[in-house]
Amino acid sequence: MHPFALSRADDPATAVAIQTRDPGLAFIAGGTDLIGLMKDRAALPERLLDINHLPGMSYIEARADGGLRIGALARMSDVAASLAVRERFPLIAEALLFAASGQLRNMASIGGNIMQRTRCAYFRDEDDLPCNKRRPGSGCSARHGLNRNHAIFGWSDACVATNPSDLAVALAALDAQVIVRGRTGERSIPITEFHRLPGDTPERDNALDRGDLIVAVDVAARREARASHYLKVRDRQSFEFALVSAAAGIAIDGRSIASARLALGGVAHKPWRLRAAETALRGVSLDDRDALRSAIAASFAEARALAHNAFKIELAQRVVVRALQVAGERT
Ligand SMILES: Cc1cc2nc3c(=O)[nH]c(=O)nc-3n(C[C@H](O)[C@H](O)[C@H](O)COP(=O)(O)OP(=O)(O)OC[C@H]3O[C@@H](n4cnc5c(N)ncnc54)[C@H](O)[C@@H]3O)c2cc1C
Ligand code: SF4
């Protein structure tokens, strides 16, 4: 195990200031991703700053306007169990419950969840195979290697990895905001712009700068939120990352879709919003499977399979249809 020094911050301003001036320091919350990365030598911070005792970051606030604010240190299990979350945003509760294991969810924080790094086996491998995310400029072993679990949207020759967070997919469908405290104060980043596409710099996963501390996630009330569902397909039914997942929320008019919100997981370096499909779905009957399929196909013209993952293109469309139908049963 890589040696490190551990200290603790007691207020957010100090945490931001300490990390801003120390490039060898990383925040640690539940540690369920970071410690694994350190064991795999994919992250080698010399100093860890324990942020678990920062005040005012562990709450779940059900707002009077129907929205929700979740502190970055709230634990996945507490958020999944919250009555307000389950009633107002069932897809968020489901995305959390279908993630990791009970023990991990008790430790893992909301901020850590959206910050977790890819599960690409080459990135996590201790043997130091070429990986541009781990060692910029070394190449991408997955591009022409084993890429069954990799991206079908938005990838580059430099990196074909997917983002593993289930929660981020549900939040993307809802246009949630990530509240960040940094050197110049607090700002809000749309979750759809929080994670980056790989381009030529896959070592950068997200829009955060040094010193930035996620303090909360804001989810506004949406008319598509209650009739919503998170559907995750994985190689085994528990304790596994998504092969493909879909977050769907709808508002209906009779049996027709008045508006839809859709995002996919397991298909890109970031949660993948299906905006063309959302537009095409307006007015489509939930009972007309063929019409649902052809509306969803509007978002798949830009899908590009790798050698081993062409099946994801068909699978993802079926998962979206099913997620919409389950959401429709909740209207
Ligand atoms: C076996 C296993 C299975 C898993 N399965 C799934 C799954 O199916 N779906 C899924 O979504 N996840 C899954 N996970 C991932 C798990 O959800 C994450 O490890 C967890 O959410 C990370 O939260 P944490 O608090 O432990 O983060 P940490 O490990 O403490 O931190 C992770 C990263 O986030 C940074 N960080 C933490 N908090 C903040 C903050 N407030 N501001 C800025 N940076 C911060 C840290 O510096 C670090 O870089 C699995 C993990 C394991 C080990
Ligand atoms: S897909 Fe990305 S993370 Fe995986 S080997 Fe290629 S560069 Fe590394």
Side-chain angles (χ1 to χ4, degrees):
M1 179 73 173
H2 167 70
F4 60 90
L6 179 67
S7 58
R8 167 176 152 172
D10 291 318
D11 72 277
T14 307
V16 169
I18 291 174
Q19 209 216 13
T20 299
R21 63 175 181 257
D22 186 351
L25 178 139
F27 296 140
I28 185 163
T32 61
D33 193 41
L34 185 55
I35 295 297
L37 289 166
M38 291 168 69
K39 286 181 179 167
D40 295 337
R41 303 187 62 77
L44 297 169
E46 287 155 28
R47 286 163 292 284
L48 296 183
L49 189 67
D50 179 356
I51 58 171
N52 288 293
H53 305 277
L54 296 181
M57 280 176 56
S58 300
Y59 59 92
I60 303 164
E61 182 191 344
R63 293 191 154 160
D65 64 1
L68 193 67
R69 183 176 262 227
I70 308 169
L73 289 173
R75 302 294 146 169
M76 288 170 70
S77 49
D78 293 332
V79 180
S82 153
L83 193 58
V85 176
R86 283 161 47 204
E87 284 181 357
R88 295 179 182 190
F89 301 98
L91 75 175
I92 292 181
E94 289 170 334
L96 289 166
L97 277 178
F98 293 140
S101 66
Q103 292 93 331
L104 284 160
R105 293 193 295 271
N106 286 340
M107 285 295 290
S109 66
I110 295 301
N113 185 281
I114 61 177
M115 287 290 288
Q116 65 177 294
R117 306 207 73 191
T118 184
R119 305 306 294 197
C120 172
Y122 299 104
F123 171 69
R124 301 256 169 183
D125 195 302
E126 275 183 271
D127 289 339
D128 265 352
L129 290 166
C131 172
N132 288 321
K133 192 181 279 295
R134 187 171 173 137
R135 277 183 298 117
S138 62
C140 173
S141 294
R143 173 71 183 90
H144 298 292
L146 295 174
N147 47 39
R148 175 177 179 270
N149 294 333
H150 290 70
I152 55 171
F153 289 109
W155 52 265
S156 68
D157 282 332
C159 181
V160 295
T162 56
N163 182 288
S165 167
D166 289 300
L167 173 65
V169 180
L171 295 176
L174 293 165
D175 279 314
Q177 302 279 324
V178 183
I179 314 301
V180 174
R181 181 166 183 158
R183 283 170 282 186
T184 52
E186 212 165 272
R187 68 190 193 280
S188 180
I189 306 174
I191 183 83
T192 49
E193 292 166 27
F194 183 84
H195 299 98
R196 300 176 70 250
L197 287 179
D200 293 330
T201 51
E203 68 276 17
R204 286 198 57 208
D205 289 344
N206 55 56
L208 292 194
D209 292 325
R210 171 142 292 281
D212 281 346
L213 174 74
I214 301 171
V215 292
V217 171
D218 247 344
V219 194
R222 304 276 179 204
R223 64 184 190 137
E224 302 89 355
R226 280 178 196 255
S228 67
H229 182 48
Y230 184 75
L231 179 59
K232 177 174 177 179
V233 175
R234 42 191 164 169
D235 282 330
R236 54 180 182 183
Q237 246 335 84
S238 73
F239 211 66
E240 190 52 279
F241 293 90
L243 208 46
V244 167
S245 65
I250 53 171
I252 59 162
D253 179 6
R255 286 296 291 164
S256 296
I257 295 174
S259 61
R261 294 177 160 271
L262 296 171
L264 285 174
V267 298
H269 202 254
K270 60 188 286 184
W272 197 256
R273 191 75 183 267
L274 302 182
R275 294 194 192 275
E278 290 173 5
T279 304
L281 280 166
R282 278 188 209 127
V284 172
S285 167
L286 278 168
D287 304 318
D288 188 343
R289 196 176 183 287
D290 290 341
L292 290 175
R293 267 303 296 250
S294 71
I296 291 162
S299 279
F300 281 77
E302 54 184 337
R304 287 184 299 148
L306 299 162
H308 306 129
N309 70 1
F311 72 96
K312 278 193 179 185
I313 295 177
E314 174 64 21
L315 177 63
Q317 293 176 78
R318 291 182 185 215
V319 170
V320 176
V321 171
R322 186 70 194 129
L324 280 169
Q325 289 172 331
V326 175
E329 288 161 17
R330 295 176 172 173
T331 51

